[in-house]
Structures are given as C-alpha cells and as structure tokens.
Amino acid sequence: MTVTPAATLQLKNLLAQPDPKMIRVGVRNRGCSGLAYHLEYVDKAGMFDESVEQDGVKVLIDSKALFSIIGSEMDWVEDKLNQRFVFRNPNIKEQCGCGESFMV
C-alpha cells in the first residue's frame, strides 16, 4: 500500500496527539458489495500486522485485510461536502453504487 502526500499530512495530524497511538487499516464485512475499509487507533501492532512507513508516517495493515488491500493507494480528499480517506484499489472486481463497499 502506498500513501499519497495529502494522506501523509492528514495522518501526521491525526497522530500528533497528547496520547500517541498508531492507525490500523483493515476491512470489515459491510455494505451491499461485501467489504468496507475500516480505520482504527491502536496502542500496538497485532502479531501478524504488516506496516507501511512513508515520509515518517507508519500505518499498520490488519493481517486479515492484507490480500484485500495489497497494491492500494491511500489518499486524503476534501470537497465541499466532506473530507475523507479514499482508497484506490486495483484489485476491486465489484463496487456498490455509493462507493462505500467493494469486492475483490
């Protein structure tokens, strides 16, 4: 997984808190296509978590989500209505109409 400069900046802002934690990216069963991305704060890496370090930011990847996320790009997007992390995943075979869930 790669992280864009915009996502790196936002991750640095999220991780610069008084009680520093790490961010883990995973997937959960959700939505009409089956999987949705999930981000959470964690105190330490799981035993089989992978880590991606780019421009001084470390992101953990949940081992159960590794094959769903491999090759993806994590970006931060802001528009008039919202701001969010967006994942560009070349492995997606199907995606729901709203773009929230996917299938690989």
Side-chain angles (χ1 to χ4, degrees):
M1 184 175 83
T2 60
V3 183
T4 66
T8 300
L9 183 61
Q10 182 61 24
L11 288 167
K12 283 181 181 179
N13 290 337
L14 291 173
L15 295 171
Q17 53 185 325
D19 184 24
K21 296 187 182 256
M22 292 184 265
I23 293 180
R24 178 187 294 142
V25 178
V27 293
R28 289 200 172 159
N29 292 331
R30 184 174 166 189
C32 47
S33 289
L35 298 172
Y37 296 102
H38 175 75
L39 277 73
E40 65 182 330
Y41 287 108
V42 294
D43 293 318
K44 63 179 182 171
M47 183 180 287
F48 299 108
D49 286 351
E50 293 289 326
S51 67
V52 173
E53 194 161 347
Q54 192 170 319
D55 299 324
V57 172
K58 185 175 184 179
V59 177
L60 301 174
I61 300 174
D62 187 338
S63 61
K64 293 176 284 233
L66 191 57
F67 291 110
S68 302
I69 294 177
I70 196 164
S72 296
E73 177 186 64
M74 182 180 187
D75 194 9
W76 177 255
V77 176
E78 295 182 19
D79 58 31
K80 292 181 180 181
L81 296 177
N82 58 31
Q83 49 192 354
R84 65 200 177 283
F85 285 106
V86 173
F87 293 86
R88 292 181 189 89
N89 188 337
N91 305 308
I92 290 178
K93 302 292 184 224
E94 187 177 310
Q95 192 169 8
C96 69
C98 69
E100 184 177 324
S101 63
F102 65 96
M103 180 180 73
V104 291

